[in-house]
């Protein structure tokens, strides 16, 4: 049937465009064209209700923001694990297992990933339902959000069974967690306490596009419905075969492991504990599971915990020290950030002497006083945190902390606005601390990436009044730079060169670099994609702004305020004058984009890798196997069976000379072809 073919074609095209739009941020068609395709698909689907598919782009794009999550009843309850904190407890677990079964057992050893459990269901090899654990019996349907995770395949390979359920842990890498928190602090939002909470917060977003902007990962540890499987070890390896891949570059001790007796587990635990800092995400122990599934079944459960597994948890890395003082630092947006100054203490191999206290409410809630003995821990194994004061050790000499009424740097008044967790300095640009932080932010790696502008230099530039607004950076000259202390010719050249290079940064990075309060990296990207230029963004109304994913009233208000200030307009004009990218460029389309080439036989004029890299540079895909989907077979001398196949399937065959001509023509057409332009209307 013709319509069915067209529906399939439209679905696959629209999926590709969604991916380019939301994930790559590089659309290749205008929004009007996109709407046209989507409407055509809607019409056809209306005409053929029998061809309905929950995965159709019409089902997803039409309702990106959900009103709430619906409930999912788990096929089998999602249970928890009993914990062990000592060797004795682990040995007792082993003894009980052997006693109940009446024979020796092998175990698998897996990391206990500290994230949150989810269930993924596949029907006819397609991912159709993803859910949180919830109360174990019922969870929330978060299918759309889980679809944005790269680690979760949408389709299983052909040889997979029809119905499969995979369970595992969704987590965030420690580095990504820190970045996310920096962004939240920039926005005046309370930071997440640990990567686990951050992952949970990211997964339970009603707008799946917010989830898509957070680099969540999936770690599989259980599967059901798999064929011919008798052990947990096979489950783990089978899942990898189905496409649930582990990240590259993990330390070797995280590999799937099968051990013969509990002594091996205890030895491995030592390695896990000593080397846990090598793992890019948080693990809070290791899980020991009876390997044989038959044995597991025989052992069964007590309450909500299986008798066949145990979580051997790491001892917490917490230490007690003295809180000597609380200092206040002024951030880029003027936020006053309280920092704990601690009597230095070693925690898990690192000396800790400072810890963030986040904001005044947190200090009050935890009842932390200057002079207190405090319990300190490294959350995410990285950021030191104060867990609580040890009140029993109080002498009565401890002092309550109060946020200053005046900025510690510029003495302007400080204010705390309703709805904000932070207190702010009102000094604006007259506050040197703010300007220094703004400059550091502007030059940062995720913003303008001005390599030679570090924190010390930012401070000198501001203090020596060479830079009084970020735009001044682009009008610095060598003579004035040489007036800085200990700043020679070479340093000046390097700095000027990296400033020059920053002019190539794309619009979304410039927008982020401007440091508009509440506009983090992800929001900046969405705004850049939506408005395409600083002029259109500057002219947007509150309603226009709120139409952008992830942008609510508060961000919109902040943007309006930013553009309403005359001095900001002045900065923008000077940045434009300096030649920064203040509009979005659509990704350049390459002449051979998406075309599949297969090379066969001996080439005379270049080597195969050369041919391949020239083709790929023009957007082509070079495949080693010939299928009917291939667009061209390049046949060199002595081509064998592939040539015959191509001829019988009607795949066009190119000789080497023809390939060369095609490459040359494509290369020159690419040099002259104009950039693709993209319609400015928002996609909703
Ligand atoms: S197996 C019936 N394996 O720990 C046993 N759980 O405390 C079900 N977890 O809810 C869990 N890594 O969220 C298992 N390798 C692993 C795990 C793991 C982390 C989490 C999971 C579970 C919780 C139980």
């Amino acid at each position: 049937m013709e319509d069915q073919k067209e529906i399939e074609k439209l679905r696959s095209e629209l999926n590709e465009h969604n991916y380019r739009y939301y994930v790559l941020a590089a659309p290749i068609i205008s929004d009007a064209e996109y709407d046209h395709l989507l409407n055509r698909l809607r019409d056809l689907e209306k005409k053929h209700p029998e061809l309905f598919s929950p995965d159709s782009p019409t089902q997803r794009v039409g309702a990106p923001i959900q009103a709430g999550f619906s409930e999912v009843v788990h096929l089998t309850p999602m249970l928890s694990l009993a914990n062990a904190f000592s060797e004795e407890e682990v040995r007792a677990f082993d003894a009980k297992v052997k006693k109940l079964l009446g024979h020796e057992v092998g175990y698998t050893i897996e990391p206990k990933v500290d994230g949150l459990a989810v269930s993924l269901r596949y029907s006819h090899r397609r991912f159709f339902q993803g859910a949180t654990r919830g109360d174990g019996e019922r969870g929330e349907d978060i299918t759309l959000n889980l679809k944005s995770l790269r680690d979760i395949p949408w389709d299983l390979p052909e040889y997979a069974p029809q119905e499969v359920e995979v369970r595992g842990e969704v987590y965030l890498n420690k580095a990504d967690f820190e970045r996310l928190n920096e962004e939240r602090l920039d926005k005046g939002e309370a930071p997440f306490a640990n990567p686990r909470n951050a992952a949970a917060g990211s997964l339970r977003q009603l707008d799946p596009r917010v989830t898509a902007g957070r680099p969540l990962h999936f770690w599989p540890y259980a599967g059901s419905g798999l064929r011919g499987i008798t052990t947990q070890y096979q489950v783990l390896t089978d899942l990898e075969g189905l496409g649930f891949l582990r990240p590259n570059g993990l330390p070797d001790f995280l590999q799937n492991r099968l051990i013969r007796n509990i002594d091996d587990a205890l030895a491995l635990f030592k390695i896990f504990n000593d080397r846990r800092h090598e793992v890019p995400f948080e693990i809070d122990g290791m899980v020991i599971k009876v390997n044989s599934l038959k044995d597991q079944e025989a052992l069964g459960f007590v309450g909500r915990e299986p008798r066949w597994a145990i979580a051997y948890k790491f001892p917490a890395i917490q230490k007690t020290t003295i809180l000597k003082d609380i200092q206040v630092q002024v951030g880029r947006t003027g936020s006053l950030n309280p920092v704990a100054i601690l009597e230095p203490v070693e925690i898990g191999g690192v000396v800790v002497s400072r810890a963030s206290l986040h904001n005044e409410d947190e200090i009050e809630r935890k009842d932390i006083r200057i002079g207190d003995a405090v319990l300190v821990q490294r959350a995410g194994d990285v950021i030191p945190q104060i867990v609580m004061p040890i009140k029993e050790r109080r002498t009565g000499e401890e002092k309550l902390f109060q946020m200053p009424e005046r900025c510690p740097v510029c003495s302007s008044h400080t204010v705390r606005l309703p709805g904000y967790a932070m207190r702010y300095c009102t000094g604006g640009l007259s506050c040197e601390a703010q300007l220094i932080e703004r400059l550091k932010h502007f030059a940062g790696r995720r913003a303008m990436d001005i390599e030679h502008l570090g924190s010390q230099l930012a401070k000198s530039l501001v203090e020596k009044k060479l830079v009084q607004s970020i735009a001044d950076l682009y009008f610095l000259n060598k003579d004035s730079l040489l007036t800085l202390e200990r700043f020679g010719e070479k340093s000046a050249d390097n700095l000027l060169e990296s400033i020059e290079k920053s002019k190539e940064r794309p619009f979304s990075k410039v927008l982020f670099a401007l440091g508009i309060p509440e506009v983090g990296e992800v929001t900046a990207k969405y705004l850049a994609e939506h408005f395409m230029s600083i002029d259109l963004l500057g002219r947007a109304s509150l309603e226009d702004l709120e139409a952008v994913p992830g942008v609510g009233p508060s961000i919109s208000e902040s943007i309006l305020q930013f553009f309403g200030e005359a001095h900001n307009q002045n900065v923008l004009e000077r940045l434009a004058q300096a030649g920064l990218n203040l509009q979005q460029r659509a990704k350049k389309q390459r002449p051979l984009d998406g075309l599949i080439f297969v090379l066969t036989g001996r080439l005379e004029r270049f080597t195969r890798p050369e041919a391949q890299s020239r083709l790929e540079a023009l957007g082509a895909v070079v495949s080693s196997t010939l299928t009917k989907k291939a667009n061209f077979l390049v046949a060199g001398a002595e081509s064998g069976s592939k040539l015959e196949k191509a001829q019988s399937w009607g795949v066009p065959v190119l000789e080497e000379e023809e390939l060369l001509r095609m490459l040359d023509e494509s290369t020159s057409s690419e040099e002259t072809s104009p950039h693709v332009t993209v319609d400015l209307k928002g996609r909703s």
Side-chain angles (χ1 to χ4, degrees), residues 10-11 14 37-45 56 58:
L10 283 167
R11 283 178 183 164
L14 285 160
L37 295 179
L38 191 65
N39 287 336
R40 173 76 188 144
L41 179 59
R42 279 208 185 101
D43 290 346
L44 286 172
E45 286 181 347
S56 171
T58 53

Side-chain angles (χ1 to χ4, degrees), residues 238-368:
D238 223 54
L239 288 176
E240 278 182 63
L242 293 185
F244 294 89
L245 302 176
R246 303 283 164 83
N248 286 327
L250 288 185
D252 53 359
F253 62 91
L254 291 192
Q255 262 160 28
N256 297 337
R257 256 183 218 270
L258 185 56
I259 55 160
R260 248 180 287 233
N261 59 50
I262 208 68
D263 289 332
D264 290 349
L266 298 170
L268 269 169
F269 184 73
K270 199 170 149 20
I271 297 176
F272 266 69
N273 195 21
D274 290 347
R275 294 179 54 192
R276 55 193 278 204
H277 61 273
E278 292 173 30
V279 183
F281 44 89
E282 265 204 69
I283 56 175
D284 57 350
M286 73 186 208
V287 183
I288 308 173
K289 294 179 186 166
V290 169
N291 188 35
S292 152
L293 299 183
K294 207 164 118 234
D295 287 347
Q296 288 189 2
E297 208 183 323
L299 288 163
F301 299 85
V302 232
R304 327 217 95 246
E305 293 163 1
R307 280 202 198 87
W308 44 265
I310 195 157
Y312 191 3
K313 302 281 272 288
F314 298 136
I317 27 180
Q318 295 185 332
K319 287 272 177 76
T320 308
T321 187
I322 302 295
L323 174 62
K324 295 197 298 190
D325 195 9
I326 296 179
Q327 286 178 1
V328 174
Q329 289 180 347
V330 184
R332 157 171 78 78
T333 53
S335 60
L336 303 189
N337 311 320
V339 179
I341 307 298
L342 304 166
E343 189 68 53
V345 59
E346 192 254 43
I347 310 178
V350 175
V351 177
V352 172
S353 56
R354 301 159 80 83
S356 167
L357 287 165
H358 304 314
N359 56 55
E360 53 195 309
D361 290 351
E362 170 147 320
I363 299 173
E364 200 179 302
R365 186 171 55 75
K366 290 186 175 166
D367 187 20
I368 294 169

